[in-house]
Amino acid sequence: MNLLDIFKRRGSAPVARERLQLLLAYERRSRNQPDLVSVLREEIMAVIARHVQVDQDFLQVSMDHGETTSRLEIDIQIPNKVAMPMAAAF
Amino acid sequence: MGKVVVVTSGKGGVGKTTSTAALGAAVAKTGKRVALVDFDVGLRNLDLIMGAERRVVFDIVNVIQGTAKLSQALIRDKRLETLFLLPASQTRDKDALTEEGVADVIDKLRSVFDYVFCDSPAGIERGAQLAMRFADEAVIVTNPEVSSVRDSDRIIGLLDSRTMKAEQGESIVKHVLVTRYDAARAARGEMLSIDDVLEILSTPLLGIIPESQDVLRASNVGAPVTLSENTNPAARAYIDAARRLEGEDLPVILPFERRGLLDRLLGRRAA
């Protein structure tokens, strides 16, 4: 801290405002879409389970909110050892 | 049909009860019939702030459970004959309130009074949700401080989704009442400004209550600040807020700091 800072001490209110705006933007979005991600996650899991045995932990579903659009990321890892019932038929 | 106004905040200690008493008394002084309902079952305090703590015989839980009539539980204010209090129970917990019971009590009050003020408990649980459930309007009490503003935002979300009005597709009228506003600290940029709070909450302003010793003194003696000290800045701010609540178009004036030269030199804040 230099000497000038003592005279030019700026309040902390702008920091408070900025933090709140960021936080509330996030909280409002998650409030408006109650658990969309977890609903999707469950349904995707159910579809996959019909064909392949995959552990819950190998499915990652996340939502990235942008300005105008949002990106839904689904990452499914299927272990190589798991036998595919469909493939076995051929 | 009277108007039901919930005084809520999410966060505790921001001044819900004080504001309920002050606004209610200010409206009652104009001749309107006003009922103040304490929803903080288990932690009632509106009776204390109103100076009626020794006159409580029956409470809202007794009325809901049918062990007392509403007219028996209502306490008439000793200073204003148009002002009434329906106390909360101190010995029960919030589960003693049922939605049907509250609906019935509010309906009856609405038919007799011009204004019904519901003093909400802190939090977002059952008690707070029942306090707002049948409201036409909401006063969201907010301190210019991050955690209070965040909680107010959460409460606004609940007002827009969990109230009867919201469920019927109508919208509940919301107002922000900023309390404990310290003009000096706001001027120094140490406290969120009114504009910051309003912009973040995007809800119209009902009033700004300056931080004041008189509010504490009013609580100490058990009289709403708008009755006991009606000439001080906080009381005037509450009286103006009550007039706006009644629909009057009254501009909000930002409180300013009054400091003498000596205070300035010594860097002292005004009380």
Side-chain angles (χ1 to χ4, degrees):
Chain A
M1 173 159 137
N2 68 41
L3 204 61
L4 259 180
D5 287 345
I6 297 171
F7 298 105
K8 279 202 322 190
R9 198 180 58 157
R10 284 178 54 207
S12 51
V15 181
R17 182 183 58 217
E18 219 163 281
R19 288 177 59 218
L20 266 175
Q21 277 168 336
L22 271 173
L23 174 71
L24 293 182
Y26 173 77
E27 288 189 345
R28 283 175 196 147
R29 272 196 305 257
S30 49
R31 199 189 300 154
N32 294 338
Q33 302 178 324
D35 262 4
L36 175 66
V37 170
S38 63
V39 170
L40 282 174
R41 197 190 138 85
E42 253 171 56
E43 292 190 8
I44 292 166
M45 197 67 207
V47 171
I48 296 168
R50 267 191 261 155
H51 306 282
V52 197
Q53 273 229 309
V54 180
D55 198 64
Q56 286 274 351
D57 301 338
F58 291 102
L59 173 64
Q60 301 290 336
V61 180
S62 63
M63 187 78 95
D64 211 5
H65 297 280
E67 285 272 305
T68 52
T69 54
S70 297
R71 177 208 294 267
L72 176 68
E73 278 187 353
I74 306 168
D75 180 8
I76 315 165
Q77 289 183 38
I78 301 173
N80 289 333
K81 278 183 195 161
V82 174
M84 297 213 179
M86 292 301 285
F90 293 98
Chain B
M1 281 295 261
K3 200 185 267 181
V4 180
V5 182
V6 60
V7 181
T8 185
S9 70
K11 193 177 186 310
V14 295
K16 281 182 297 297
T17 303
T18 306
S19 297
T20 304
L23 289 174
V27 174
K29 245 191 341 190
T30 68
K32 297 267 167 51
R33 288 175 63 84
V34 176
L36 309 178
V37 186
D38 192 345
F39 273 83
D40 207 344
V41 175
L43 288 169
R44 75 170 176 223
N45 273 319
L46 191 53
D47 56 334
L48 197 54
I49 300 299
M50 295 293 297
E53 71 277 10
R54 293 172 63 177
R55 299 171 62 207
V56 177
V57 182
F58 297 112
D59 56 58
I60 188 170
V61 173
N62 295 136
V63 176
I64 285 175
Q65 296 183 339
T67 51
K69 284 191 214 142
L70 183 57
S71 55
Q72 290 177 300
L74 281 169
I75 302 169
R76 186 197 285 262
D77 188 85
K78 286 203 163 159
R79 298 145 295 208
L80 277 178
E81 62 170 19
T82 50
L83 184 59
F84 288 79
L85 166 70
L86 179 58
S89 168
Q90 182 70 341
T91 51
R92 308 295 296 270
D93 60 48
K94 288 183 179 63
D95 294 329
L97 295 179
T98 60
E99 181 164 341
E100 300 72 37
V102 171
D104 195 44
V105 168
I106 295 288
D107 257 4
K108 283 184 183 143
L109 289 173
R110 207 198 275 274
S111 66
V112 180
F113 290 93
D114 298 308
Y115 278 89
V116 180
F117 286 91
C118 303
D119 182 21
S120 173
I124 52 169
E125 309 304 326
R126 188 181 167 77
Q129 293 199 15
L130 279 173
M132 67 168 69
R133 185 76 184 145
F134 304 101
D136 305 304
E137 298 197 14
V139 172
I140 301 133
V141 183
T142 307
N143 291 168
E145 174 271 326
V146 283
S147 58
S148 174
V149 175
R150 181 196 205 175
D151 292 359
S152 291
D153 189 73
R154 183 91 167 85
I155 277 291
I156 288 170
L158 288 179
L159 287 165
D160 288 334
S161 61
R162 300 287 177 84
T163 52
M164 213 61 174
K165 281 246 168 195
E167 284 178 12
Q168 287 167 350
E170 297 169 60
S171 67
I172 182 164
V173 180
K174 302 183 291 283
H175 318 263
V176 167
L177 181 67
V178 177
T179 55
R180 312 197 68 168
Y181 181 79
D182 186 329
R185 297 183 68 186
R188 287 197 299 266
E190 294 170 7
M191 188 181 238
L192 284 169
S193 72
I194 297 297
D195 286 341
D196 290 343
V197 174
L198 297 183
E199 188 193 325
I200 291 166
L201 296 178
S202 40
T203 302
L205 181 66
L206 185 67
I208 307 165
I209 313 301
E211 172 83 71
S212 160
Q213 289 295 317
D214 305 311
V215 175
L216 180 64
R217 188 158 52 233
S219 299
N220 286 345
V221 300
V225 69
T226 45
L227 288 188
S228 64
E229 321 233 354
N230 59 9
T231 52
N232 76 58
R236 280 208 306 271
Y238 270 122
I239 290 168
D240 286 352
R243 286 168 68 185
R244 287 184 204 103
L245 197 63
E246 290 200 77
E248 211 172 309
D249 187 17
L250 207 63
V252 181
I253 299 155
L254 204 67
F256 60 91
E257 199 201 2
R258 270 200 225 109
R259 289 201 306 178
L261 184 62
L262 197 63
D263 289 329
R264 279 167 205 263
L265 287 174
L266 297 174
R268 280 201 306 231
R269 286 199 296 116

